[in-house]
Amino acid sequence: MHVQMSPPRLSLVLLLLPPCASAVRFLVLRHGQTDHNRDGIIQGSSDVSRLSDRGRTQAREVGAALARLGDVRVARTFLSPLARAQQTHEILLLDRPDLPTPTTLDGLREIDLSSWEGRAKAELRAEQPDVYAAWQCDPLAMVVDGRKPIVELWERARSAAWPTLRAADTAAAEDDEGATLVVCHGSLGQALLCTALGLDATAWRRHPFPNCGMAEIDWPADAPRATRWRWRLPEEGCWQSGTAARALHLSRAGVRIEG
């Protein structure tokens, strides 16, 4: 039987979620605004940009917010090796000095954009309109220097970042029910969230991370995919089930769901 879930039915699924007491919790946080973010310059995995004044303020606000969240106890912390993520974490410690000693993972760096890195978005839009358009809305067709950066990012999140993060959480799960904080980047954050939910790279820009936006993901150790997720910062959102997220993604792509 073929079933195509409509948006109203999906909305109902999002609201009627059972608790996930056994799930392992991940908090995926994007760094604060950088000077490159502010000035419209592509960063990618380059390590030149630094937090702007606004970015430092955003990071301080996140630290204060984490201190107020009574249901969040961070037991493990993982960081991107890039300075903007490291700076954000350092500022979090001003309000959350109890955060555990972090582990830096190269797999948490931002998307690799090769010759685009350090270029102004306006210049790239004018010089390479077709590629820039793909960057906005056609991830599978986006090619820079002979590579497909968005496709590669999804693969890195799925095959490198998540196995390491989940292995660390599984090893500690029996003795420690705290959350894992991951301080990283906007595009990488999207890839982590989407691959956790089982969404491929065509979900690019479906769940964009603002600067210092944080998503909360519940992923049981014995489950192939995350069971639910929600935005936690800058504002708390409603829990959304992983099943509904996958069904909505497929329905938008015009794919019928086997049932």
Side-chain angles (χ1 to χ4, degrees):
M1 179 178 67
H2 297 280
V3 178
Q4 188 162 11
M5 299 182 73
S6 63
R9 183 176 173 184
L10 286 172
S11 298
L12 183 62
V13 173
L14 298 182
L15 293 174
L16 302 178
L17 294 177
C20 292
S22 63
V24 176
R25 179 186 298 186
F26 296 90
L27 302 171
V28 179
L29 173 69
R30 183 187 180 189
H31 60 78
Q33 184 199 65
T34 67
D35 47 5
H36 278 27
N37 291 147
R38 179 194 62 207
D39 298 337
I41 297 172
I42 295 286
Q43 298 175 113
S45 58
S46 67
D47 202 16
V48 176
S49 64
R50 297 295 184 267
L51 295 188
S52 65
D53 289 342
R54 176 170 173 73
R56 287 188 286 271
T57 297
Q58 290 171 332
R60 190 66 192 265
E61 290 171 349
V62 170
L66 284 175
R68 293 193 301 268
L69 295 178
D71 65 325
V72 174
R73 187 182 64 79
V74 177
R76 292 159 294 281
T77 303
F78 290 89
L79 305 180
S80 159
L82 303 184
R84 53 195 187 266
Q86 301 272 336
Q87 283 184 293
T88 299
H89 175 258
E90 290 171 3
I91 295 172
L92 297 183
L93 294 175
L94 297 176
D95 290 284
R96 286 295 304 266
D98 60 319
L99 290 177
T101 301
T103 299
T104 296
L105 293 179
D106 183 64
L108 296 178
R109 70 186 186 278
E110 183 56 304
I111 187 171
D112 297 318
L113 288 171
S114 306
S115 63
W116 274 34
E117 295 175 359
R119 300 287 305 281
K121 294 179 181 179
E123 292 179 357
L124 290 169
R125 187 185 298 114
E127 294 176 9
Q128 304 177 42
D130 292 343
V131 181
Y132 196 87
W135 163 247
Q136 295 299 309
C137 59
D138 194 0
L140 301 186
M142 198 262 188
V143 177
V144 175
D145 300 330
R147 302 174 64 177
K148 292 189 173 184
I150 301 170
V151 174
E152 291 179 1
L153 178 69
W154 247 247
E155 182 59 29
R156 169 154 51 93
R158 179 187 301 109
S159 301
W162 271 126
T164 301
L165 295 172
R166 297 194 71 212
D169 242 52
T170 300
E174 293 185 2
D175 302 318
D176 195 337
E177 296 181 354
T180 295
L181 175 64
V182 182
V183 185
C184 56
H185 306 274
S187 297
L188 189 276
Q190 288 186 63
L192 287 175
L193 174 59
C194 289
T195 53
L197 296 172
L199 307 182
D200 63 22
T202 59
W204 170 246
R205 298 194 186 278
R206 184 67 52 80
H207 302 296
F209 277 66
N211 287 117
C212 278
M214 186 172 75
E216 181 176 5
I217 302 170
D218 275 0
W219 193 343
D222 59 352
R225 300 187 182 101
T227 52
R228 64 178 188 170
W229 78 282
R230 64 175 170 173
W231 289 112
R232 204 64 199 263
L233 295 172
E235 296 181 356
E236 186 169 309
C238 296
W239 283 110
Q240 303 180 46
S241 79
T243 300
R246 289 187 291 276
L248 180 58
H249 174 65
L250 291 173
S251 69
R252 286 175 174 175
V255 178
R256 297 183 69 82
I257 303 168
E258 297 284 344

